[in-house]
Amino acid sequence: MTSGAKAEPATSAARGPGGTVPRLYQQVFEIVAAQIAQGVLPEGARLSESGIAEQFGISRAPARQALAELELLGLLHKGSGRGYQVKRHKGTAPAGVVAAVIPEMDVRLKQLSTWSRIYGEVESEIAARTSFAGWRVNETELARYYDVSRTVARDVVARLQQRGLVRKDERSRWVAPAMTPDHVGELYELRWLLEPAALQKAASRLPEDLLPAMRRRLEMAIDQSGSLTGPDLDHLEEDLHITLLGHCGNSSLMQAISLPQALLVAHRFLYRWMPRLFGSEPFLPEHMDIIDKLQTGKAEEAADALRRHLQISRDRAIDRIQRVTREVQPENLPYLDKLD
């Protein structure tokens, strides 16, 4: 590959569920993790937000998140000054990372056009901050911050609304409501009313290889639970709650489900801190139980298991939000104004 050429990374997540392109930080995370594992980045090598951002042709926010994930995994540690140093590599890629080909160090990630180029980053930044407070989203400042047109900023906000992350308040301003215990409880109640119905409809429509593949990924995750990262857990959540349910054949039902699934986006932020605060992830055996029931043709029992899983997850999510918000504080962003 020639210097400066744009190319998609050669990783296991070059395409996400349903053929979607993964978020920029996930692409960076997987490339750098593979480079460390294969010795391309030796122990002691220094990495910085600005350096990663320049190397991959991205902004600093996804670079920062990728480096934070790598630190949580134990591949990096904070250097004596600013930035990080490579901590270790064992010659094999970490859990969830498969690197068939290592791109050259001057790789540029494939950028998407217009609103999709910045959407993943904006979604991640807003979702992370709703664990701490509610926010007003300023379209003008959003456009200025990313150096895009107001039309692009408006498209981004419209898609945030579709994902359930923002809504109009009584003064027609865009707001991202705080993930308070009451709000989280309401969203989970919607999920346990809607998702089991979608699962029962999807059960007879699933591709033959879907459940075995999901089960293999869960088995691997349970075996390597101590080294799972935020992107790993994110992929596993999408497996069940988006990919599998998406086979229900009812687009209106899936549209209704997408609103309370704003919780899945918020969980991406919480999962970044899971190894430090929570140890192994308890949803893994719960997902496995649902898959086992589906594989034995017990769709109604699988739906009941999904309902119980979501009911248990409500209290777990509330506890995680409270614990994480005591441990960390987000940086201010010019396009987000904290609500009273």
Side-chain angles (χ1 to χ4, degrees), residues 10-11 56 88 100 147 168 182 288 309 313:
T11 69
F56 288 98
R88 63 179 175 84
D147 193 23
K168 287 284 186 74
D182 285 346
M288 184 69 81
H309 160 63
S313 296

Side-chain angles (χ1 to χ4, degrees), residues 253-275:
L253 177 57
M254 289 307 299
Q255 185 175 6
I257 286 173
S258 69
L259 174 64
Q261 282 190 340
L263 288 162
L264 294 180
V265 183
H267 287 343
R268 290 171 190 154
F269 170 72
L270 300 177
Y271 287 152
R272 290 172 57 186
W273 301 92
M274 186 275 297

Side-chain angles (χ1 to χ4, degrees), residues 61-112:
R64 181 186 313 124
Q65 188 168 354
L67 291 170
E69 295 280 359
L70 291 161
E71 183 191 18
L72 288 173
L73 187 61
L75 295 180
L76 300 179
H77 65 87
K78 286 289 182 67
S80 55
R82 299 186 66 180
Y84 297 81
Q85 286 182 284
V86 174
K87 185 176 180 181
R88 63 179 175 84
H89 60 84
K90 297 183 179 180
T92 57
V97 175
V98 177
V101 179
I102 298 297
E104 295 178 12
M105 294 302 291
D106 61 356
V107 67
R108 292 294 185 269
L109 294 178
K110 182 178 181 180
Q111 294 286 344
L112 305 177

Side-chain angles (χ1 to χ4, degrees), residues 30-317:
E30 295 198 1
I31 290 174
V32 176
Q35 288 173 338
I36 293 172
Q38 296 192 6
V40 177
L41 286 171
E43 186 172 351
R46 293 183 176 273
L47 302 175
S48 66
E49 286 180 19
S50 58
I52 290 290
E54 181 179 358
Q55 175 186 329
F56 288 98
I58 59 177
S59 65
R60 292 182 64 149
R64 181 186 313 124
Q65 188 168 354
L67 291 170
E69 295 280 359
L70 291 161
E71 183 191 18
L72 288 173
L73 187 61
L75 295 180
L76 300 179
H77 65 87
K78 286 289 182 67
S80 55
R82 299 186 66 180
Y84 297 81
Q85 286 182 284
V86 174
K87 185 176 180 181
R88 63 179 175 84
H89 60 84
K90 297 183 179 180
T92 57
V97 175
V98 177
V101 179
I102 298 297
E104 295 178 12
M105 294 302 291
D106 61 356
V107 67
R108 292 294 185 269
L109 294 178
K110 182 178 181 180
Q111 294 286 344
L112 305 177
S113 60
T114 60
W115 67 270
S116 55
R117 179 173 61 83
I118 65 171
Y119 176 80
E121 181 178 323
V122 177
E123 178 189 77
S124 178
E125 296 287 2
I126 293 178
R129 285 159 178 77
T130 58
S131 296
F132 300 86
W135 305 86
R136 183 171 74 87
V137 182
N138 186 315
E139 282 186 12
T140 302
E141 291 298 328
L142 178 64
R144 183 178 292 117
Y145 184 77
Y146 285 102
D147 193 23
V148 296
S149 68
R150 281 290 300 275
T151 300
V152 171
R154 193 172 301 118
D155 285 343
V156 169
V157 174
R159 283 158 178 82
L160 290 169
Q161 182 190 28
Q162 292 174 356
R163 290 286 278 154
L165 281 172
V166 303
R167 63 193 184 198
K168 287 284 186 74
D169 67 6
E170 66 280 357
R171 296 168 60 184
S172 293
R173 302 178 303 178
W174 289 115
V175 298
M179 287 293 173
T180 62
D182 285 346
H183 185 47
V184 171
E186 289 173 354
L187 292 177
Y188 265 105
E189 185 174 4
L190 275 174
R191 290 185 67 188
W192 74 58
L193 290 172
L194 296 174
E195 291 192 29
L199 183 143
Q200 285 190 273
K201 292 180 70 66
S204 62
R205 298 168 172 264
L206 300 177
E208 185 176 345
D209 60 345
L210 179 60
L211 292 176
M214 289 177 63
R215 198 178 203 288
R216 286 194 298 273
R217 286 190 285 272
L218 283 168
E219 289 172 344
M220 184 180 300
I222 290 171
D223 288 343
Q224 301 174 336
S225 59
S227 61
L228 293 176
T229 65
D232 294 327
L233 297 170
D234 192 18
H235 290 324
L236 293 167
E237 289 275 51
E238 289 179 346
D239 257 1
L240 177 63
H241 298 290
I242 296 177
T243 304
L244 190 150
L245 296 185
H247 291 281
C248 75
N250 186 326
S251 59
S252 296
L253 177 57
M254 289 307 299
Q255 185 175 6
I257 286 173
S258 69
L259 174 64
Q261 282 190 340
L263 288 162
L264 294 180
V265 183
H267 287 343
R268 290 171 190 154
F269 170 72
L270 300 177
Y271 287 152
R272 290 172 57 186
W273 301 92
M274 186 275 297
R276 184 176 299 176
L277 298 179
F278 306 109
S280 61
E281 176 50 57
F283 83 65
L284 298 174
E286 295 166 10
H287 280 208
M288 184 69 81
D289 181 46
I290 295 165
I291 299 306
D292 286 345
K293 287 179 168 56
L294 284 172
Q295 285 190 299
T296 55
K298 301 174 181 176
E300 187 172 348
E301 291 185 18
D304 289 339
L306 175 58
R307 185 178 298 105
R308 288 193 301 272
H309 160 63
L310 292 169
Q311 290 169 341
I312 294 169
S313 296
R314 174 190 57 185
D315 295 337
R316 200 153 55 210

